Amino acid sequence: MSRATLSDYLSRSNTPASLAQLIETLAGGSVAIREDLAGGALNDILGAAGAENVQGEEQKKLDVIANDRIKQALGVLPSVRGIASEEEDEVVAAHHDGEFLVTFDPLDGSSNIDINSMVGTIFSVLGSRGEGAVSEAEFLQPGRDQIAAGYILYGPSVMLVLTVGQGVVMFTYDPQSGLYLLTEDQVRIAEEAKEFAINMSNQRHWHPAMQRYIGELLQGAEGPRGKNYNMRWVAAMVADVHRILCRGGLFCYPWDARKPDQAGKLRLMYEANPMGLLVEQAGGKIWTPEGAILDIQPTHIHQRVPVILGAASEVELCIDYHRD
Ligand code: F6P
Ligand code: MN
């Protein structure tokens, strides 16, 4: 059977040529990152880079390598006006008259690198409204305004999961042809949740509403939910969200009392918004206890947010607990 390539899909979906080129460039960057990852210790890519990012987190060597690869690849596209990355202190200017702004998490789940487990690259494409030098203010657009979003999952196979606003599609990288081939059209999140994903070690620090909600899932068939749930936690958002797109469930990274002034761990513009567009395009929901994540007006590029995403009915229920 001959499968559609990424280029086939982009032309079939009438994606404008400049956006198609941008997405193909991100895909090209991911192939280089895949090579870096595949060699592991042989490529001297494991371990810490010896620096911290602007958010005070230790950078891994591969955080820096992946960031540079994507930054360089996007930087040559005339359509890119600027980029914002989890690993860059400030927005980076590209071409003054470019029409796109790109935000990305170059290597999501980077604590998994050293244990040869799954990691990913997350990206979001916004339209540009500015003139002259690019500014941070131009990036501060609600997630609903994203033109495209997606991620690359580096697992046993490498997958590109994409939305250009026409549902969600999945491609698998074919090492023989060097192409991404369409392997899943029309991704839909299962309505009924059987699994949940949350870092249970933080349970005692959550808001009481979150403790109660998860506590009831843990009571299984004997509790108020009347059925057993299974728990999974890969510790790479890309991999955990990928599982939810493939077989449903709920993913939460809630607010935590240890850092009461920090809204959550995950980043709005590099993680929550792009994943949010994918989840909503696949029929799911992504909320914080205060409202829909895609409606948040960002106030700065590195902003954090609590995240509850997955099967629509389960997300709604979890939010209801917070309203009580
Ligand atoms: O990017 C942040 C991140 O690595 C996510 O990919 C992941 O979901 C989460 O942090 C894991 O957090 P923790 O180390 O608390 O399990
Ligand atoms: Mn991340």
Side-chain angles (χ1 to χ4, degrees):
M1 184 175 83
S2 106
R3 292 182 181 275
T5 63
L6 175 59
S7 318
D8 294 337
Y9 172 77
L10 292 168
S11 61
R12 180 174 101 191
S13 56
N14 294 322
T15 301
S18 53
L19 179 60
Q21 187 190 34
L22 192 162
I23 292 166
E24 299 242 36
T25 300
L26 288 165
S30 76
V31 172
I33 296 169
R34 168 189 178 269
E35 293 293 319
D36 297 328
L37 284 163
L42 302 175
N43 284 348
D44 192 25
I45 50 116
L46 307 186
E52 285 186 347
N53 66 18
V54 69
Q55 297 146 84
E57 296 160 339
E58 179 194 67
Q59 284 181 312
K60 302 277 183 184
K61 280 185 197 165
L62 210 65
D63 284 322
V64 178
I65 295 169
N67 185 60
D68 289 348
R69 286 208 185 281
I70 297 174
K71 187 167 71 168
Q72 277 161 19
L74 291 176
V76 297
L77 295 181
S79 64
V80 176
R81 178 163 156 77
I83 63 162
S85 161
E86 193 175 306
E87 304 302 338
E88 297 282 341
D89 296 2
E90 291 169 4
V91 302
V92 179
H95 301 272
H96 274 192
D97 45 9
E99 59 186 302
F100 299 122
L101 305 171
V102 186
T103 77
F104 57 92
D105 177 355
L107 208 81
D108 175 63
S110 53
S111 72
N112 279 353
I113 299 166
D114 295 345
I115 58 162
N116 196 20
S117 188
M118 284 190 278
V119 288
T121 298
I122 312 174
F123 60 88
S124 158
V125 183
L126 294 162
S128 156
R129 294 167 185 168
E131 285 176 3
V134 76
S135 70
E136 175 172 346
E138 287 170 54
F139 285 81
L140 304 180
Q141 304 178 33
R144 291 236 180 266
D145 292 354
Q146 292 171 100
I147 296 168
Y151 62 78
I152 295 106
L153 172 63
Y154 309 98
S157 61
V158 175
M159 295 187 71
L160 168 64
V161 177
L162 175 70
T163 182
V164 288
Q166 302 174 39
V168 177
V169 287
M170 294 183 174
F171 301 85
T172 303
Y173 181 71
D174 172 24
Q176 279 183 333
S177 62
L179 296 170
Y180 276 100
L181 303 180
L182 186 65
T183 44
E184 202 59 61
D185 224 335
Q186 298 185 336
V187 175
R188 301 300 295 169
I189 295 179
E191 308 259 316
E192 201 203 341
K194 301 190 185 82
E195 291 178 322
F196 68 96
I198 194 164
N199 184 339
M200 283 299 301
S201 69
N202 299 329
Q203 183 175 23
R204 66 195 183 285
H205 306 296
W206 303 333
H207 187 281
M210 187 53 92
Q211 300 214 26
R212 185 179 144 227
Y213 171 77
I214 296 289
E216 292 186 359
L217 299 187
L218 293 173
Q219 289 173 49
E222 291 78 32
R225 301 301 302 275
K227 70 174 191 183
N228 293 324
Y229 285 79
N230 204 352
M231 199 206 84
R232 292 283 184 269
W233 187 250
V234 184
M237 188 191 194
V238 166
D240 281 312
V241 171
H242 188 70
R243 185 186 56 258
I244 283 165
L245 289 173
C246 292
R247 64 178 196 212
L250 186 84
F251 169 95
C252 307
Y253 213 113
W255 172 86
D256 187 318
R258 283 169 299 179
K259 292 188 179 169
D261 298 335
Q262 184 175 295
K265 178 175 185 187
L266 300 177
R267 261 60 56 131
L268 176 63
M269 305 215 57
Y270 317 118
E271 293 169 323
N273 274 344
M275 292 311 203
L277 194 65
L278 289 166
V279 164
E280 287 210 1
Q281 285 282 320
K285 279 199 152 193
I286 175 164
W287 276 55
T288 74
E290 281 77 42
I293 284 187
L294 294 183
D295 292 331
I296 295 175
Q297 172 60 53
T299 51
H300 59 96
I301 49 167
H302 297 305
Q303 182 171 346
R304 296 175 193 257
V305 68
V307 172
I308 303 165
L309 69 81
S313 57
E314 203 62 47
V315 172
E316 278 160 19
L317 202 64
C318 181
I319 298 297
D320 280 349
Y321 279 55
H322 287 81
R323 289 199 183 111
D324 281 350

